[in-house]
Structure formats: structure tokens, C-alpha cells
């Protein structure tokens, strides 16, 4: 602690992102990045970009991107918000909606940044345990709350809720904001975006970082009632007028223009995921059902930390969380078929791992 | 107000950036953008960029940029912070340092975003009037404070303080953070960056948006003691891990690599500014001494709002602030010689403006 710091920051425990090491020949399955490049249209707009324009500020409203997203979701631009990655969108949403007299509710096991935001903005919050099979049970969320946030599919478990469960929650929770973080939704879950017109308290947050292969450009967005979007805009315009740069705005629009590429790469990742899941099961792993581009898996005999270290020594990076409830699990990003084959082959070489028939 | 908003956001009055209209043939002298393109090295890195890399997250620490900035300021990377434009750096600094029991001090007339940040984070603040000739008088800043922020050169006046005045302030104000916002310093003022090693409570904030022609890419930074930079990092890593995208990081490094281009374009803008200042004086304007890429000027007889409207009808945009103390002034960005000649010629055609010899 420094005497120059605001007293409130002493107790902050910042979020720890997955490692971004610069080592050659690394198989990087630790930060849920897409193994495929962004759509060819993205490359085209970046290569054709007239850099003389960079002397000017970008459009503070990123109107072209809002229009493209509104078309994508068959809605109006007044229901779309954009930001510097979905992390910034989430941070602004915490400021705009969750600084309430009642506590914010979140799953006990979920994206660990929620807890960090709540501490940054001094938001009282209550963590609701998952079920024993790592499901979010929305019936356990009390109606007295200052907001509800969860990821669907959840992270780092990969498990998805059906849309019907979210709708039931919304029907009985109409007085506070329900934020559904859909960072991974394009890999097989049902989006709640279709419910936005029915529920003015629903905010759906998505990102270009995973399914659109644009983690390097930092583009996130939210879909919600004009009332919620207006709240986000007020906070954003009191914080940073221009969070999205010109190249990010144009690349995001280009990505949205190529539906085929998007659908094909998502389908390929889903196919690779299911093959990998089966292969892991034959090696003695229990794998949670995943609707994401990662698998959450534990070996029946080996500790998660030991397996992570074993793989790391062999230049394969996976993510491990040293938290009691999930310490035996590895979070393994779905890469290309070749990368996943290398993972499986490397695991097979572990002296304590034997191949068994699938259960 | 919506029942879904955090109660604290009801009273927010967001910052209003200058207009970014998309009209052809507009002479845009309203947002202090650089009239020259970024350094050729910027174009080279963007054109050579392998877009396949965008699938990966950027380096959350932007280490290459911190190293380039540390070299530029002959200091260590532990004394450098980078962010999504200097606006984000300022917002994070307000969170990290100015949420104190004592009030933050700022000039009454200065960059209007300071006031907005203070309101967003519920920071009590006291505004200290400028002198009658629009100088910041640091002797008027009481020693009982929870921080001091000012722009040097100041905005929208363009007036600079000598480094000696800032040093005197720092010598008598050692217990709270002094933030010097140097967005415009490269156009003729003295930077306080050289004082960082002497004063652990000094934070200097700069930007690539003005002197480096990169407003479109959103890159700002701060120089300060490791103690202050660590405080900023804690808040940044509790808010958004990756505020700078890959292209912004690489373009910023490229810009720093071309010192000649930087010095030549700054010198050209300074020369154009001084010519324009003289020409405005012969047209009956009083012009404050500027150490920036803009001029703050009022006509002896015509109202600021009237002149702004007159110019706007003729496709020339300048900025006007409807605030009592400065309502008669126009803030005019220094463009190319051709743009400034068009401004002067257009003003000469105003029926109430006569050319007089320079005073």
C-alpha cells in the first residue's frame, strides 16, 4: 500500500488473465483463443485501410458497427452497446446497474472477473453454489437482489443453461438487471438475445474475441432495452469517449459480413471438441458437457496441477485454477485437430495414463 | 432515470466530445487533430501486419510499447503505464489516487472531462479560478487536498506554465498526487516528466492522439514513480486486462521510432500556429499565447457563438464552449497552412470584420 493510493484500492485483487508467453512451438490451449484466423474480409479491410485517417478521432458512437450488429440481431441500434472487449462492457455494466443497496448475485464458480469488478466498485455480492454436477441452478437465486450476473455457457465449466431456464428467471425477477455473459454462446448454446424485447431488465453481453477470432482487436458488445443501453452510454461517456479504435470498428463490421466463414469455423471447433472429448474419456478423464470452445476435464487419478505441469514441460499450455471446488480440473481450449491430437498423444505418454474403452 | 440504473448514475452529465461529422469538404478545426498523417513507419507496420495473429489476445502489459516509451523518456518500464487513450489513463488515475477524504483540486477552466470523472467516482472537488489573463496560479492551490490535477498547457486556453512553477508546487505538496495532463506538451511547453524521479507523487499523462497523429488508434500513457504506476496497474487489471489492441501497440512503437518525422511535423504546426495568430490579430481578435496545436481567440466585437455559426455555414468547424467565463472565445485547431488561409479568408469576408494593422 502506498500513501498516494485511494484507500479503496488497497484490498483489490486484480484479475489474472491466462499467460501470453512468447515461446516458439508452443501449443497454446490456455486462453480459449480460436485456432482459426479471422474472416478473410477482416484482412481485406486492414490491408486496404488508409492510415492517413488515423490522425482523426474515431466515431465515438461506432455507428457503423452498431448498425451491423443491429442487423445481425434484427433489432435497432438503440438496443446495442459496444466497448473495448466484453471485459470493458462488463465493467461499465457493473457501474451502471449493480451499485445498488441490495446485493448482486453470481454463481460461486464462474468467470472470476465478476468478483473483481464487484470489489473495484464496492458492490456487495452473494455467491450461489453450483449443483454437484456443476450446473447453475437459477431457482436458487433469491428474488431480493440488486442484480444477477452469470455466464452462459458458464466458465470455466463450459456447461450451458437452456433458454427456458433463463426465461423462467426473468419472469420472476423483473425489478433488477439480469446480465447474461454469452462470451462462448456461438459454440452451441442458446442466446438470450431473443428475449431482450420481452424483458427490459435483460442485458446480453457478447464478444468478437472467441467465435470471431478477433481477441487481438478488443471488441465486445451488449444487447438490451434502450433503457439499459442508455445507462451504459451515460457511464461510458463519463469514462472514455472513444474506446473502440478505427481499425477495430472496421474489422468487426467486416467479420459480421461473412456469415459462412463464421458458421464454418464454429462448426469445425464444435466437431473437434466432441472428438477430443471422446478421446479424453478413453484416457480416464471425466469431461463436463461443453457448449463452448473449451473442455473442462479431470482425470480420475491424477491431480490437475500435476497434469498441467506435465503438459507445460512438453510445451502444451492448458489452464488450471487453484480453487478448492475445481482444483482437479483442467480447462483445455479446443484448437485445431492437429493440436488436439498432439494433446492426446502427449497425455498417452504419461506413465500413469492408460487407454480404456469409452465409458 | 430508469429503475434499473445504479442510483449514482442519475446525476451524471457525460463529457461531450467535439463533433465528428461525416460531411465532405469540411475544414475540421474543432477537435485538435493533427493535420498531418502519422509517421510512415506506422503505415508500414499496419500494412505488414499478419492478421492471423488477431485470433490471439494482445500482450496485456503491452511490454514492447512500455519499453519503447521507457527508452524515449530515459527511464524504466516500471515507471510507464499505457492505456486506451489518455482519457482512459485519466479515468483510471481518478480511481487509483483521487478517491480520498480530502477534496481534489482542479482549475475552474480546464479540460472538462476532469469534472465528469470526479462525478462518476463521487470525488469531492474544488475548482480554483484562473487569473484574469487565463493563467493557472498554482500558489492559489491549498496544501490541504486529496490530489491536484491540471493540464499543461491548459485546455481550452492553450496557455502553458513554466516547469519552475510546477516544481515549486511539488516541493510544497508532497502528500497527495499531482497529475499533470500533458496532452499538448509537444507543441511548445516544458514537460514535467523530468521531475518524476524527484517527486514520487507526480504523474505525467501524455497521448499519441495529437502530436503523433494517432487519435484514430487510442493510445495514452503515464510516467510516474513505480509506486504510482503500480497503483494504476492494480486498477487497470481490475477493470480491463487488455485495453490496447495489437495494432495500436505496434503502431505506437513504430511512431516512436521516427523522431525526425515527429519533430518536423510538430515544428510545422508551431510555425503555422504563429502565422495564424498574427493573421487573427490583424482581424481584430485577441489571441491567448498558445503552446498547443490550437488557438483560443475572441473577437473584440463579435460573439463567439455567432462566429462559430458563421464559420459552420461555410463548412469550417471550430469549437465554442457555452460557459460564462469563455463564451466569447473560439478554440481553433491549427491545421495545414492551406486550411488556416481558408479560415482567415473566410473571416475576412464577414461584414463586421475589418483588417487592421497588427497591434
Amino acid at each position: 500500500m502506498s500513501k498516494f493510493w485511494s484507500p479503496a484500492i488497497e484490498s483489490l485483487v486484480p484479475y489474472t488473465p491466462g499467460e501470453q508467453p512468447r515461446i516458439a512451438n508452443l501449443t497454446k490451449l490456455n486462453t480459449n483463443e480460436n485456432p482459426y484466423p479471422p474472416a478473410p474480409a477482416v484482412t481485406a479491410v486492414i490491408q486496404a485501410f488508409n492510415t492517413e485517417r488515423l490522425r482523426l478521432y474515431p466515431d465515438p458512437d461506432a455507428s457503423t458497427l452498431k448498425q451491423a450488429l443491429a442487423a445481425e440481431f434484427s433489432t435497432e441500434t438503440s438496443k446495442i452497446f459496444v466497448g473495448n472487449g466484453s471485459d470493458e462492457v462488463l465493467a461499465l455494466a457493473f457501474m451502471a446497474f449493480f451499485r445498488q443497496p441490495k446485493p448482486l448475485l453470481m454463481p460461486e464458480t464462474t468467470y472470476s472477473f465478476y468478483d473483481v469488478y464487484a470489489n473495484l466498485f464496492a458492490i456487495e455480492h452473494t455467491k450461489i453454489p453450483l449443483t454437484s454436477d456443476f450446473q447453475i441452478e437459477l431457482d436458487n437465486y433469491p428474488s431480493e437482489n440488486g442484480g444477477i450476473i452469470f455466464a452462459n455457457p458458464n466458465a470455466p465449466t463450459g456447461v450451458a443453461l437452456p433458454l427456458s431456464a433463463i426465461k423462467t428467471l426473468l419472469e420472476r425477477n423483473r425489478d433488477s438487471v439480469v446480465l447474461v455473459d454469452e462470451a462462448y454462446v456461438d459454440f452451441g448454446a442458446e442466446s438470450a438475445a431473443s428475449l431482450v424485447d420481452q424483458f427490459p431488465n435483460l442485458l446480453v453481453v457478447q464478444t468478437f474475441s472467441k467465435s470471431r477470432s478477433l481477441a487481438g482487436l478488443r471488441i465486445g458488445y451488449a444487447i438490451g432495452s434502450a433503457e439499459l443501453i442508455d445507462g451504459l452510454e451515460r457511464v461510458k461517456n463519463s469514462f472514455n469517449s472513444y474506446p473502440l479504435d478505427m481499425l477495430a470498428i472496421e474489422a468487426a463490421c467486416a467479420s459480421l459480413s461473412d456469415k459462412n466463414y463464421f458458421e464454418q469455423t464454429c462448426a469445425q471447433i464444435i466437431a473437434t471438441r466432441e472428438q477430443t472429448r471422446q478421446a479424453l474419456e478413453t484416457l480416464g478423464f471425466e469431461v463436463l458437457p461443453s457448449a463452448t470452445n473449451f473442455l473442462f476435464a479431470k482425470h480420475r487419478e491424477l491431480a490437475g496441477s500435476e497434469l498441467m505441469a506435465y503438459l507445460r514441460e512438453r510445451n502444451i499450455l492448458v489452464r488450471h485454477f487453484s480453487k478448492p471446488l475445481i482444483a482437479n480440473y483442467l480447462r483445455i481450449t479446443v484448437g485445431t485437430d492437429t493440436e488436439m491430437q498432439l494433446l492426446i498423444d502427449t497425455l498417452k505418454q504419461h506413465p500413469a495414463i492408460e487407454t480404456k474403452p469409452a465409458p
Side-chain angles (χ1 to χ4, degrees), chain A:
Chain A
M1 180 66 183
S2 151
K3 69 172 177 177
F4 300 126
W5 295 0
S6 303
I9 78 170
E10 184 175 7
S11 59
L12 293 183
V13 181
Y15 176 74
T16 310
E19 278 183 274
Q20 297 292 346
R22 275 157 291 180
I23 301 169
N25 298 319
L26 201 67
T27 300
K28 196 167 173 305
L29 306 175
N30 69 325
T31 50
N32 297 342
E33 289 149 331
N34 197 307
Y36 303 108
V42 169
T43 305
V45 297
I46 290 175
Q47 289 182 347
F49 189 86
N50 175 1
T51 54
E52 291 196 12
R53 291 171 49 210
L54 293 175
R55 70 180 187 83
L56 299 173
Y57 282 92
D59 172 9
D61 283 323
S63 315
T64 53
L65 178 53
K66 284 187 182 171
Q67 283 156 19
L69 284 165
E72 179 73 18
F73 289 94
S74 306
T75 189
E76 303 98 64
T77 53
S78 61
K79 295 181 177 169
I80 303 286
F81 179 80
V82 297
N84 183 261
S86 62
D87 283 346
E88 192 197 48
V89 176
L90 292 168
L92 297 173
F94 271 68
M95 271 202 268
F97 309 123
F98 296 150
R99 292 184 296 170
Q100 302 286 356
K102 293 177 192 170
L104 173 68
L105 309 180
M106 62 178 74
E108 183 174 14
T109 301
T110 190
Y111 184 35
S112 53
F113 221 136
Y114 304 156
D115 198 28
V116 176
Y117 296 133
N119 290 328
L120 180 64
F121 301 119
I123 294 166
E124 193 196 334
H125 53 292
T126 304
K127 295 179 182 178
I128 316 281
L130 300 186
T131 64
S132 59
D133 57 346
F134 293 95
Q135 304 273 340
I136 293 175
E137 180 46 86
L138 292 176
D139 291 346
N140 296 341
Y141 286 62
S143 52
E144 282 291 301
N145 64 70
I148 297 175
I149 185 169
F150 56 89
N152 187 45
N154 198 16
T157 62
V159 178
L161 280 169
L163 190 57
S164 56
I166 295 173
K167 196 173 174 193
T168 303
L169 173 75
L170 286 162
E171 279 163 352
R172 66 171 182 78
N173 191 91
R174 294 180 180 268
D175 292 329
S176 68
V177 172
V178 174
L179 194 162
V180 186
D181 178 357
E182 298 189 339
Y184 298 102
V185 77
D186 295 322
F187 300 108
E190 295 172 282
S191 173
S194 61
L195 301 177
V196 156
D197 285 337
Q198 275 172 269
F199 298 99
N201 60 328
L202 168 63
L203 193 75
V204 174
V205 174
Q206 297 193 358
T207 175
F208 281 70
S209 295
K210 316 290 182 184
S211 56
R212 294 192 176 273
S213 305
L214 286 173
L217 273 187
R218 320 305 311 120
I219 308 143
Y221 56 102
I223 310 144
S225 62
E227 193 174 344
L228 294 191
I229 300 303
D230 186 31
L232 281 171
E233 293 288 351
R234 287 171 72 92
V235 174
K236 174 256 186 188
N237 288 316
S238 300
F239 185 84
N240 189 5
S241 308
Y242 310 91
L244 277 189
D245 69 45
M246 284 183 180
L247 285 159
I249 293 170
E250 297 203 7
C253 290
S255 171
L256 288 168
S257 73
D258 194 341
K259 256 194 213 316
N260 275 348
Y261 183 87
F262 170 72
E263 286 168 5
Q264 281 168 19
T265 48
C266 287
Q268 179 59 61
I269 288 165
I270 292 168
T272 305
R273 177 185 75 210
E274 294 309 313
Q275 282 168 20
T276 307
R277 180 188 167 167
Q278 286 173 21
L280 286 169
E281 285 173 347
T282 65
L283 297 181
F285 283 86
E286 289 174 15
V287 188
L288 295 189
S290 170
T292 64
N293 69 334
F294 58 85
L295 291 161
F296 202 56
K298 74 165 178 183
H299 193 267
R300 291 204 176 81
E301 285 145 33
L302 298 166
S305 55
E306 184 198 323
L307 272 173
M308 183 193 68
Y310 168 82
L311 289 169
R312 183 161 188 145
E313 276 165 28
R314 286 149 189 85
N315 275 343
I316 298 175
L317 237 59
V318 299
R319 190 118 194 234
H320 173 259
F321 300 88
S322 330
K323 293 181 182 173
L325 292 170
I326 55 174
N328 277 331
Y329 282 80
L330 297 178
R331 195 194 67 183
I332 304 167
T333 303
V334 177
T336 61
D337 284 340
T338 310
E339 289 173 318
M340 302 325 274
Q341 195 56 56
L342 179 67
L343 170 82
I344 298 297
D345 291 346
T346 306
L347 287 170
K348 278 183 184 165
Q349 288 160 18
H350 190 291
I353 291 183
E354 282 172 50
T355 307
K356 296 171 191 168

